[in-house]
Amino acid sequence: FQFYLATFGFFAVIVALILPSFIYIGQGIIRELADLPTQLKSFRVQDVKCFCCTNDHREPSTGETLPCDRVLVHRMLAR
């Protein structure tokens, strides 16, 4: 009986330590999901900031020319 009591106590402590973290993370996810409909209503492809455009179509570390992400995205959405 003492073994079961000790095992239960051990798991109770583990759950008491971990459960608040899971609840906190879950609440953050729920908040983000609640904001999603508003974000989707106001989303416009034309307003998206592309990596290539913000770096003048050059790879910052090498200076190599980059193709425009915006053109590729518009082309894929047009299909």
Side-chain angles (χ1 to χ4, degrees):
F1 178 74
Q2 286 182 337
F3 172 75
Y4 294 116
L5 189 59
T7 304
F8 176 76
F10 173 75
F11 284 115
V13 169
I14 297 296
V15 168
L17 292 174
I18 294 175
L19 188 61
S21 298
F22 282 122
I23 291 172
Y24 179 76
I25 291 168
Q27 287 175 338
I29 291 170
I30 296 297
R31 265 187 247 109
E32 289 179 9
L33 287 174
D35 292 342
L36 189 59
T38 303
Q39 292 174 356
L40 289 174
K41 284 179 186 175
S42 64
F43 177 79
R44 288 175 18 108
V45 174
Q46 297 84 351
D47 297 335
V48 173
K49 302 234 186 270
C50 301
F51 174 80
C52 60
C53 295
T54 57
N55 289 291
D56 296 322
H57 296 95
R58 298 271 179 203
E59 172 61 44
S61 59
T62 64
E64 185 178 335
T65 303
L66 293 172
C68 187
D69 294 339
R70 187 179 301 272
V71 171
L72 297 172
V73 169
H74 283 277
R75 189 177 302 149
M76 292 305 293
L77 290 174
R79 286 185 177 189

